[in-house]
Amino acid sequence: MVRAVLGLTAGLALGAAVAAWISAGQAIGPVLDIVRPGEFIGRAASFVATAETPGAQFLTLTAHIEQEGTVYPLFSLDDPAGAALEQETDDRLRISRTLDRESHPDLVEGPARVVVTATRPVLFGLRESGSETATDVTVRLTPPRLTPLSTLHYVTHGGAELVVYRVTPEDAGSGVRVGGREYPGYPAAGAGIEGRDDLRVAYFALLHDQDLDTRIQLYARDPAGNEATADFAHRIFERQFRRSRIPVGDGFLRRVVPAIVAESPELAGEAADSSTAPAELLQLYLLINGQLRESNRAAIASLAAETAPRQLWSGPFRQLANSQVESGFADHRTYLYDGNEIDQQVHLGFDLASTANAPVRASNAGTVIFAEYLGIFGRCVVIDHGMGLQSLYAHLSSIDVTPGMPVDRGQQIGLSGQTGLAGGDHLHFAMLLQGRPVTPMEWWDEHWIEDRLLRKLREATGTPTSR
Ligand SMILES: [Zn+2]
């Protein structure tokens, strides 16, 4: 009887051990993730992977890249091979290292495979459980090629220009870099140039606050991160920006400050009405002219992302009919209160005055992308003309359009007014390139449009001339 019980107990224990052994063999191995590279390995790539298991207890952890039957090690616990190993959490390790021409000079262009394997101890270290993950990649080592095609690039300070160029491969992103600012190029078909898939058109600008000797060049970047730049001949012309002094009076502050405070979510904590003390109104005005101006400009700049990849406009841009220029582009303004300097700002548009509530018309064909109240701009409309070009109409008393609406050149979009930071009824008109203000004067000028833009686009349809 006792022997039978013992036998049964031994049998059960053995059975449990066998079950534990088997289930340990099926235990989940470490969780592996290859973070980088993604789809491509370029001339300067990196390898990043994470490996997770309870207590970060690994028996083995290795990574390699294989190509055409050859295995190139990337990492192992015994031989980190220059990789950095860091413990991200109690359970997770992160491996990172460079994976470039210097570290792996024998990689060639074409398909390759990155593999990570790991094992962890299970059943008190009596057994182990392993896992493997892999990702297929393409090695790309040839940098993009850029060929400028257009000629006679003349850039006036604060103004725009256009360059036509060729870029290969076709999946490379490209454009013009002016100092630290990039202006993407668009397929030339969007500007009406058919025939070649490698042709690009990029509008760019030397902004009013950039130096005259700012570097201007073409850039291209393929999805593997390979980069190329190319210079193209251009001349820079100086422009004089005016300085003006603007007196700020209590009557003006009483009219504009409470209205802007009421309409601006950025100033939700503030309050102002007709009974607010002049000193307090002045403080709010400085907040509006400074921080709110910055915030409103950033909101306008972000609209650049919504530009169409094709040119929606044709012919010169229209100026407000029968209007008088009250203030020009990039005027440097000093603000005075009681004869004392209180602030300085740069005015990044044109102020055009006509009669009160004058019809405001789309300066050219495009799509409305913004139509609402926006702080210093008051009631404001932005029209996208494609390829990064947009026009802005501010201080309107009423708006006749809604976002998404296509408009023709000359179509009425609202009435002029004095909403926002406006001293009287006028239209504040601005032209924007990739969200950055450029002088509207060029776009109003038929000859500039012909010489600087249309001629280059026409020439690009012919045989490319050598430089
Ligand atoms: Zn203005």
Side-chain angles (χ1 to χ4, degrees), residues 208 244 246 293 297 326-333 335 345-352 395 426-429 437:
H208 70 95
S244 60
I246 307 227
R293 179 184 292 269
R297 279 183 181 167
E326 289 195 323
S327 179
F329 177 75
D331 284 3
H332 186 275
R333 290 176 162 180
Y335 297 83
Q345 296 292 340
V346 180
H347 182 250
L348 295 174
F350 258 78
D351 286 346
L352 305 166
H395 309 313
H426 74 278
L427 172 68
H428 171 93
F429 178 76

Side-chain angles (χ1 to χ4, degrees), residues 40-104:
F40 299 104
I41 293 179
R43 296 162 78 90
S46 57
F47 167 76
V48 177
T50 59
E52 190 168 346
T53 203
Q57 295 293 311
F58 292 93
L59 289 172
T60 62
L61 178 57
T62 68
H64 66 265
I65 178 164
E66 43 189 66
Q67 189 178 45
E68 292 172 357
T70 310
V71 171
Y72 306 97
L74 290 170
F75 171 83
S76 80
L77 279 178
D78 318 327
D79 178 11
L85 187 65
E86 121 194 48
Q87 185 147 2
E88 274 194 334
T89 67
D90 287 349
D91 299 332
R92 188 164 66 236
L93 298 181
R94 183 184 178 89
I95 312 161
S96 55
R97 61 160 300 152
T98 56
L99 168 50
D100 59 11
R101 302 201 81 183
E102 213 166 298
S103 71
H104 293 80

Side-chain angles (χ1 to χ4, degrees), residues 257-271:
V257 170
I260 295 175
V261 168
E263 298 270 7
S264 301
E266 294 93 335
L267 302 176
E270 311 291 343

Side-chain angles (χ1 to χ4, degrees), residues 19-33:
W21 186 265
I22 290 169
S23 83
Q26 294 164 341
I28 295 171
V31 179
L32 305 172
D33 182 32

Side-chain angles (χ1 to χ4, degrees), residues 261-282:
V261 168
E263 298 270 7
S264 301
E266 294 93 335
L267 302 176
E270 311 291 343
D273 57 33
S274 54
S275 66
T276 306
E280 207 176 316
L281 281 180
L282 182 61

